[in-house]
Amino acid sequence: MDMTPPPAHGHSAGRKAFYDAISAYSMTPLWEVLHALVPQSPSTPCQPALWRYADVHPFLMQSGELITAEEAVRRVLILENPGLRGQSCITQSLYAGLQVIMPGEIAPSHRHTQSALRFVVEGHGAFTAVDGERTQMKPGDFIITPSWTWHDHGHEGRVESDTPVVWLDGLDIPMLRFFDAGFAENGTAKQQEVTKPEGISTHRYGANMLPMRYDAPFGGQTSPIFSYPYDRTRETLHQLETHADIDAWDGVKLRYVNPATGGSPMPTMATFMQRLPAGFAGKPWRQTDGAVFSVVEGGGSVRIERDGNISTFEFGPRDHFVIPSWHTAQLRSAQGCVLFSFSDRPVHQALGIHREERLS
């Protein structure tokens, strides 16, 4: 008996000849790819991953010996998702990297259409300047660089206690690459002229009030505040942990906002800070926006599962990890910890495609 299986559906000689014929006219049959284009549930090549700071830090310091900040323009080690190697992204829509600046260095002024966030991981003595205003960079501070704003970084190194400063860069580079909308321009001077007193944007926009004749300095969708200091955030988390209910999935989790709109600080990226109390054992959840995490204080673990594939990461201070889209995650912390995170949630929400499930 002939045990040769019949031709697979869609692969008869007649169909193949038809496919070859239309291929010459740059066409292809939808029915051959429909299930891949419109899957039953979100599908991503991204993989869960953890970058331990103890492993990364020596390479950051070595990069400071190999190339100057001025020569590199931005001395950054990109955190590439293991499932997307060579694409300079941590999810399909987001870029993440760790940037280091040494005492006495300047990362020269430029601007670009990509929006950027800076989350300070460690070190003291550095500053960021955005459109004529400087802010000092301290561990745990969240700083934004709005689209098409001049920005540079420097490290004055004025006292012996000043150390190399490392921060997490988060950008929407892959997203703008998808839209073919990336532009950049280098400044004519290494550093932009400082034209505003430090902290003026916080005084003007960050006291739960706005000027009577408010004119959004970075456009209506971007926060007029570009520096969100950690000392305020940490105190808020502490008070809520002490006096408010603890969410069974997130612990105490807050989102950073544009004070003028109540929306995200930037139109393409949402940012969050959360506290997991000591002994926290979170319930599982999943969401369509992949998220990047930076461990601020303490330690814990995250269990990430998709289609029976399970990754469990133990994390500590300054470690970084990514939870891809529609992967079920559970957070735990015996000692308590603080986590910063960012995702592309505002884009999902604007398109009406965001989904989140909180599981039992």
Side-chain angles (χ1 to χ4, degrees), residues 246-265:
I246 304 299
D247 184 86
W249 292 265
D250 296 326
V252 178
K253 187 171 184 178
L254 301 174
R255 64 182 180 92
Y256 291 92
V257 299
N258 176 343
T261 66
S264 298

Side-chain angles (χ1 to χ4, degrees), residues 57-345:
H57 185 263
F59 294 113
L60 287 168
M61 297 303 105
Q62 185 178 359
S63 72
E65 300 172 357
L66 295 174
I67 189 168
T68 66
E70 183 176 357
E71 183 184 0
V73 182
R74 296 294 184 264
R75 189 198 290 116
V76 180
L77 299 185
I78 302 171
L79 304 182
E80 285 197 324
N81 191 286
L84 301 169
R85 292 305 308 274
Q87 299 184 44
S88 299
C89 53
I90 196 165
T91 71
Q92 295 215 88
S93 60
L94 297 173
Y95 160 104
L98 292 172
Q99 183 167 173
V100 60
I101 191 165
M102 301 294 185
E105 287 189 324
I106 295 171
S109 179
H110 69 189
R111 63 179 178 175
H112 40 69
T113 51
Q114 294 83 355
S115 297
L117 67 86
R118 326 285 174 194
F119 184 74
V120 186
V121 174
E122 74 165 341
H124 295 85
F127 65 84
T128 285
V130 174
D131 269 2
E133 182 182 347
R134 282 188 181 182
T135 185
Q136 296 300 308
M137 306 178 79
K138 301 184 296 297
D141 288 357
F142 160 55
I143 300 164
I144 71 171
T145 303
S147 172
W148 209 241
T149 56
W150 291 108
H151 56 281
D152 55 73
H153 316 294
H155 193 321
E156 295 172 333
R158 292 179 175 177
V159 297
E160 292 183 1
S161 60
D162 285 347
T163 55
V165 175
V166 177
W167 63 86
L168 171 68
D169 281 330
L171 289 91
D172 52 12
I173 291 174
M175 204 180 307
L176 268 68
R177 183 171 59 203
F178 174 82
F179 290 114
D180 294 330
F183 293 89
E185 181 180 357
N186 292 323
T188 57
K190 291 183 181 179
Q191 291 181 277
Q192 61 184 288
E193 181 183 358
V194 177
T195 59
K196 306 168 188 174
E198 185 170 334
I200 189 63
S201 63
T202 300
H203 294 308
R204 183 172 289 155
Y205 307 112
N208 298 318
M209 295 183 290
L210 292 173
M212 285 291 292
R213 292 165 183 82
Y214 174 68
D215 183 17
F218 307 127
Q221 292 183 295
T222 301
S223 174
I225 301 173
F226 76 95
S227 180
Y228 296 75
Y230 181 53
D231 54 359
R232 295 184 183 181
T233 307
R234 191 178 191 276
E235 174 62 19
T236 299
L237 291 174
H238 172 72
Q239 292 297 328
L240 291 175
E241 179 186 2
T242 303
H243 302 293
D245 294 335
I246 304 299
D247 184 86
W249 292 265
D250 296 326
V252 178
K253 187 171 184 178
L254 301 174
R255 64 182 180 92
Y256 291 92
V257 299
N258 176 343
T261 66
S264 298
M266 291 171 285
T268 54
M269 293 182 286
T271 46
F272 311 88
M273 191 78 85
Q274 68 192 109
R275 166 75 181 170
L276 306 183
F280 182 77
K283 292 183 178 182
W285 49 268
R286 59 184 179 178
Q287 60 194 38
T288 52
D289 51 318
V292 181
F293 288 77
S294 179
V295 185
V296 189
E297 299 180 40
S301 67
V302 58
R303 180 185 185 274
I304 307 171
E305 185 270 335
R306 178 70 192 263
D307 298 331
N309 298 311
I310 299 173
S311 301
T312 301
F313 302 131
E314 302 285 337
F315 56 75
R318 306 184 184 94
D319 289 349
H320 295 81
F321 60 93
V322 59
I323 302 176
S325 169
W326 214 239
H327 282 58
T328 300
Q330 284 180 276
L331 292 165
R332 295 176 177 268
S333 181
Q335 61 180 285
C337 65
V338 177
L339 304 172
F340 170 84
S341 61
F342 72 97
S343 79
D344 57 358
R345 182 173 297 195

